[in-house]
Amino acid sequence: MRLSVNIDHFATLREARGASEPEPALFALLAEQAGAMGITTHLRTDRRHIKERDLEIIRKVIKTKLTLEMAATEEMKKVALKIKPDVVCLVPERPEELTTTGGLDVVANRKALAPYIKNLAKGKIRVSIFVDPELKQIQACRDLGAPQIEIHTGIYADLKPGKARDKALADVRKAAEFGDKLGIEVTAGHGLDYRNVGPIVAIPQITELSIGFFIVARTALVGITQAVREMVELLRK
Ligand code: PXP
């Protein structure tokens, strides 16, 4: 199981102050050093966290795999073909949302997605699609020739342990088995943390997890003691 660290919210921290720090590319490098096997970023239409300059720098400096999450728009296609991430993960995007709230409706958007995916593939970019754990969506990804999918784990992750969560987990498992049977590489992500990741890791067909918010939030907690100590030390001097 590979971990791809989503660094978006490290950039959110920078944007909260409109400052030049913290530098997302540094976070990406440290994540790699700590064992991450990939870096994921979402370039949103409103550029609320990651910017093109971040992508350009990260593309140059990281040694693992870069996954670019993006909406299937003409603007984003141009960016992707310029930056050349290893993987583009197509996601739905609603301007008012705080985070991606569900998978892409591949069935409904089949016609528009077909040439879009072909263009990216021509540019030697591997295409993944973020989908809800629904077999018809996964079948549509296969029909469009997508070599990879990311199954949305957010529905499972947001539920408390119990019957509804068991059902959501079973849906993810069935979706992973189905994708694998169709010959698609199956990855997963959204809302995963130390507590809920175990049952997802136990699904053998899933090869990679994209985890962001929890890791960035945890970074602040485990780093606060050292950061305050350093400042106190400086004040003492
Ligand atoms: N996968 C996709 C498609 C996402 O949009 C996100 C959030 O940016 C993630 C995975 C990571 O989710 P989280 O930040 O909750 O770990």
Side-chain angles (χ1 to χ4, degrees):
M1 179 69 77
R2 304 188 300 263
L3 169 66
S4 186
V5 175
N6 181 315
I7 65 166
D8 294 347
H9 294 301
F10 204 70
T12 300
L13 205 55
R14 174 189 63 188
E15 295 307 308
R17 200 63 194 261
S20 59
E21 281 189 305
E23 170 58 60
L26 259 178
F27 187 69
L29 286 174
L30 288 171
E32 273 191 336
Q33 240 179 53
M37 289 160 184
I39 299 298
T40 298
T41 61
H42 184 171
L43 184 68
R44 282 187 166 267
T45 309
D46 63 9
R47 310 294 196 272
R48 69 171 76 154
H49 37 54
I50 291 290
K51 319 267 185 228
E52 271 104 321
R53 61 79 73 186
D54 299 324
L55 284 179
E56 279 161 16
I57 298 170
I58 290 163
R59 170 73 292 185
K60 280 193 192 124
V61 297
I62 68 164
K63 294 188 177 58
T64 59
K65 193 174 72 171
L66 176 63
T67 299
L68 171 61
E69 289 175 9
M70 59 182 220
T73 62
E74 283 308 306
E75 182 204 10
M76 288 301 155
K77 190 164 72 189
K78 276 189 202 133
V79 173
L81 290 170
K82 182 169 154 239
I83 301 284
K84 298 265 183 191
D86 301 284
V87 178
V88 153
C89 180
L90 299 175
V91 299
E93 209 176 277
R94 296 169 194 92
E96 69 285 359
E97 70 192 3
L98 284 176
T99 181
T100 317
T101 48
L104 192 61
D105 190 345
V106 187
V107 174
N109 293 291
R110 203 187 278 256
K111 255 199 185 148
L113 286 171
Y116 198 90
I117 292 172
K118 273 200 187 114
N119 278 337
L120 289 173
K122 237 192 236 166
K124 303 234 173 333
I125 298 170
R126 185 173 171 83
V127 178
S128 177
I129 308 179
F130 185 57
V131 281
D132 288 332
E134 290 173 17
L135 305 194
K136 66 172 193 249
Q137 295 293 345
I138 296 166
Q139 182 64 56
C141 293
R142 173 72 186 85
D143 296 344
L144 290 173
Q148 189 173 321
I149 53 170
E150 179 182 331
I151 298 173
H152 181 216
T153 53
I155 303 156
Y156 154 78
D158 287 347
L159 289 164
K160 294 204 174 74
K163 273 197 182 140
R165 195 176 95 146
D166 292 346
K167 155 93 176 54
L169 178 62
D171 287 346
V172 173
R173 191 180 304 114
K174 277 184 222 151
E177 284 165 1
F178 187 62
D180 185 61
K181 217 170 81 189
L182 295 178
I184 306 175
E185 180 173 1
V186 179
T187 73
H190 213 284
L192 297 175
D193 59 27
Y194 292 161
R195 263 185 234 115
N196 62 24
V197 78
I200 298 292
V201 178
I203 300 172
Q205 291 83 8
I206 298 176
T207 59
E208 180 178 300
L209 295 180
S210 166
I211 306 182
F213 185 75
F214 176 78
I215 291 177
V216 175
R218 182 82 189 143
T219 300
L221 279 182
V222 297
I224 183 91
T225 309
Q226 186 179 337
V228 172
R229 266 193 201 134
E230 283 172 3
M231 184 55 84
V232 169
E233 233 3 74
L234 195 70
L235 301 189
R236 274 204 194 115
K237 277 183 197 157

